[in-house]
Amino acid sequence: MINTKTKNPQTLGEFIIEKQADFQYSSGELSRLLSSIKLAAKVVNQQVNKAGLVDIVGAMGNHNIQGEEQQKLDVFANETFIAALNNREVVCGIASEENEDYIKVHAKNNISLSKYVVLIDPLDGSSNIDVNVNVGTIFSIYRRTSLEGSVQAEDFLQPGKNQVAAGYIVYGSSTMLVYTTGNGVNGFTLDPSLGTFYLSHPNIQIPKNGKIYSINEGNYIKFPQGIKNYIKYCQEENEDRPYTSRYIGSLVADFHRNLLKGGIYIYPSYSNAPKGKLRLLYECNPIALLTEQAGGKASDGFNRILDITPSELHERTPFICGSKEMVEKVEYFIKNAK
């Protein structure tokens, strides 16, 4: 909710400009990049809100690089974000969960002078759009490591700790953009009557502990023993337990709730997905940066997510994130599994 006690609530654009000096590579380019993401988010939000009224829901009839059936809104969101970033020439490269390879963005003389690359999951949880359940967009921003000119694979294959900014947009009962540039986490709510994002959740901090666990318990029989033991722990009658199970099936939606209320999100490896299912670069790294900036923790069960050096664009990993004490408890169960 927008703070009605403030006569003139701060807009996202104003906030970005005001905080630009906090960013160590301040040049204005990052501000323009975030503005491009903001613009694309508003366009996608309009289509999400029209679902059921226009021909934007349902499957396309083909599959993305992950082997997953593409939804019409997947394609629309992918094209919208790529166009917004491409047309403004604010990045030298874009990698999307929906595309097999990264996209080179060329400026004048076929040479890009931009310092940044963006990795994006254009529409997380898109299979839920047909049933009016929250979906989202996740983005991750890095400074390029290659010399000026044509972008290289190495620019994208960086550990998450090198991110200069990350965030997500959740499209739901209200539309929110939450992001960090390494100086805390702030959330902005879209006023649909004005088409403007206003600061509604300043300096978000995730509680150190919580009472919500988010995991697809339908796969319980396939989970590693440590995860099974933790689920049983969550279900035990105790002073502060059992915990409440909440699982939406959209990473953004599940994480957003836990970020504000305290809780843990778990997508482990299992027999059908020995490396996990979530993508390191498009989903786990940006969510992990937000988690740590909000005082939480993100892990693969053994290692800090942000320390992992990726070897391929569509690399997958087990993912555990949320309230710090809850994540550490899962790691304990994994380490001591019998």
Side-chain angles (χ1 to χ4, degrees):
M1 173 180 280
I2 297 171
N3 186 359
T4 54
K5 294 181 181 180
T6 303
K7 292 183 178 180
N8 297 300
Q10 194 171 29
T11 68
L12 175 57
E14 291 168 343
F15 185 87
I16 290 172
I17 293 171
E18 178 184 302
K19 298 298 181 180
Q20 187 171 292
D22 293 343
F23 183 61
Q24 61 176 321
Y25 304 113
S26 179
S27 65
E29 191 174 19
L30 181 66
S31 298
R32 295 195 300 274
L33 198 167
L34 290 170
S35 294
S36 297
I37 291 173
K38 175 184 69 175
L39 174 62
K42 289 193 285 188
V43 174
V44 172
N45 178 68
Q46 287 181 326
Q47 292 301 311
V48 169
N49 289 337
K50 291 179 182 177
L53 299 175
V54 297
D55 187 24
I56 197 67
V57 298
M60 284 289 293
N62 49 20
H63 296 77
N64 64 13
I65 184 60
Q66 317 295 337
E68 300 162 343
E69 188 173 39
Q70 282 186 308
Q71 304 295 310
K72 293 176 183 177
L73 203 54
D74 278 321
V75 176
F76 176 82
N78 192 43
E79 292 175 349
T80 299
F81 277 98
I82 289 174
L85 294 166
N86 204 341
N87 293 343
R88 292 192 176 191
E89 298 180 355
V90 291
V91 295
C92 59
I94 306 165
S96 168
E97 184 183 290
E98 298 297 322
N99 293 57
E100 181 173 2
D101 204 355
Y102 60 85
I103 299 168
K104 297 180 180 180
V105 178
H106 297 298
K108 295 178 181 179
N109 301 320
N110 212 33
I111 296 176
S112 176
L113 300 178
S114 175
K115 305 179 184 70
Y116 300 103
V117 296
V118 171
L119 298 102
I120 192 161
D121 179 354
L123 204 69
D124 170 70
S126 59
S127 60
N128 282 327
I129 194 67
D130 290 0
V131 291
N132 204 23
V133 172
N134 292 19
V135 293
T137 296
I138 310 172
F139 61 89
S140 174
I141 303 171
Y142 292 84
R143 278 178 67 88
R144 68 186 303 172
T145 58
S146 62
L147 299 175
E148 291 181 351
S150 185
V151 68
Q152 305 294 320
E154 67 194 54
D155 295 316
F156 299 95
L157 300 179
Q158 301 185 55
K161 62 187 177 185
N162 290 357
Q163 292 173 101
V164 298
Y168 63 84
I169 302 99
V170 58
Y171 311 101
S173 54
S174 63
T175 296
M176 278 189 65
L177 188 154
V178 179
Y179 86 101
T180 181
T181 56
N183 289 289
V185 178
N186 294 278
F188 301 80
T189 300
L190 179 65
D191 182 338
S193 65
L194 300 175
T196 303
F197 283 97
Y198 289 99
L199 179 63
S200 55
H201 295 69
N203 192 29
I204 298 172
Q205 289 289 301
I206 186 170
K208 291 183 178 180
N209 216 329
K211 295 182 179 295
I212 299 171
Y213 70 101
S214 306
I215 187 171
N216 184 358
E217 292 186 70
N219 287 325
Y220 177 87
I221 194 67
K222 304 174 185 178
F223 289 154
Q225 190 59 45
I227 299 297
K228 291 180 179 178
N229 293 344
Y230 179 73
I231 292 174
K232 290 301 181 184
Y233 167 83
C234 292
Q235 297 169 342
E236 288 175 355
E237 291 281 352
N238 201 287
E239 291 181 359
D240 61 343
R241 285 173 278 140
Y243 294 154
T244 300
S245 176
R246 291 285 184 269
Y247 186 73
I248 298 171
S250 297
L251 170 60
V252 165
D254 280 307
F255 174 72
H256 183 67
R257 178 198 53 243
N258 293 348
L259 175 66
L260 299 180
K261 293 180 175 293
I264 188 168
Y265 177 91
I266 307 172
Y267 208 117
S269 60
Y270 57 96
S271 56
N272 292 2
K275 294 183 179 180
K277 185 178 179 183
L278 297 182
R279 268 64 77 173
L280 174 63
L281 293 175
Y282 310 105
E283 297 167 312
C284 302
N285 274 343
I287 295 298
L289 183 63
L290 288 160
T291 301
E292 289 196 5
Q293 283 293 311
K297 187 171 184 178
S299 168
D300 66 359
F302 302 93
N303 308 293
R304 180 187 182 216
I305 286 292
L306 297 180
D307 286 337
I308 300 172
T309 300
S311 58
E312 56 182 286
L313 275 179
H314 300 288
E315 186 170 330
R316 299 175 190 257
T317 183
F319 191 50
I320 304 164
C321 75
S323 296
K324 185 176 181 180
E325 292 180 7
M326 298 182 81
V327 173
E328 289 175 347
K329 180 65 75 172
V330 176
E331 291 177 323
Y332 170 82
F333 276 106
I334 292 173
K335 182 179 179 180
N336 295 279
K338 296 180 180 179

